[in-house]
Coordinates of all heavy atoms in Angstrom, one line a residue:
Y277 N -21.8 32.6 6.2 CA -20.4 33.0 6.1 C -19.7 32.4 7.3 O -20.1 32.6 8.5 CB -20.5 34.5 6.2 CG -19.2 35.3 6.3 CD1 -18.6 35.9 5.1 CD2 -18.5 35.5 7.5 CE1 -17.5 36.6 5.1 CE2 -17.4 36.3 7.5 CZ -16.8 36.8 6.3 OH -15.7 37.6 6.4
C294 N -12.9 40.0 8.1 CA -11.9 39.1 7.4 C -11.3 40.0 6.3 O -11.9 40.9 5.8 CB -12.5 37.9 6.8 SG -11.5 37.0 5.7
N295 N -10.0 39.7 6.0 CA -9.4 40.5 4.9 C -8.9 39.6 3.7 O -7.9 39.9 3.1 CB -8.3 41.3 5.4 CG -8.7 42.7 5.5 OD1 -9.4 43.2 4.6 ND2 -8.2 43.4 6.5
C296 N -9.6 38.5 3.5 CA -9.2 37.6 2.4 C -9.6 38.4 1.1 O -10.2 39.4 1.1 CB -10.0 36.3 2.4 SG -11.7 36.4 1.9
C299 N -13.2 39.4 0.9 CA -13.7 40.3 1.9 C -13.0 41.7 1.8 O -13.6 42.7 2.3 CB -13.6 39.7 3.3 SG -14.5 38.2 3.5
H322 N -14.6 32.7 0.3 CA -14.2 33.2 1.7 C -14.2 32.1 2.6 O -13.2 32.0 3.4 CB -15.2 34.3 2.2 CG -15.2 34.3 3.7 ND1 -14.2 35.0 4.4 CD2 -15.9 33.6 4.6 CE1 -14.4 34.7 5.7 NE2 -15.4 33.9 5.9
Ligands
ZN607 ZN1 -12.9 36.6 3.9

Side-chain angles (χ1 to χ4, degrees):
Y277 178 98
C294 168
N295 254 324
C296 77
C299 300
H322 157 80

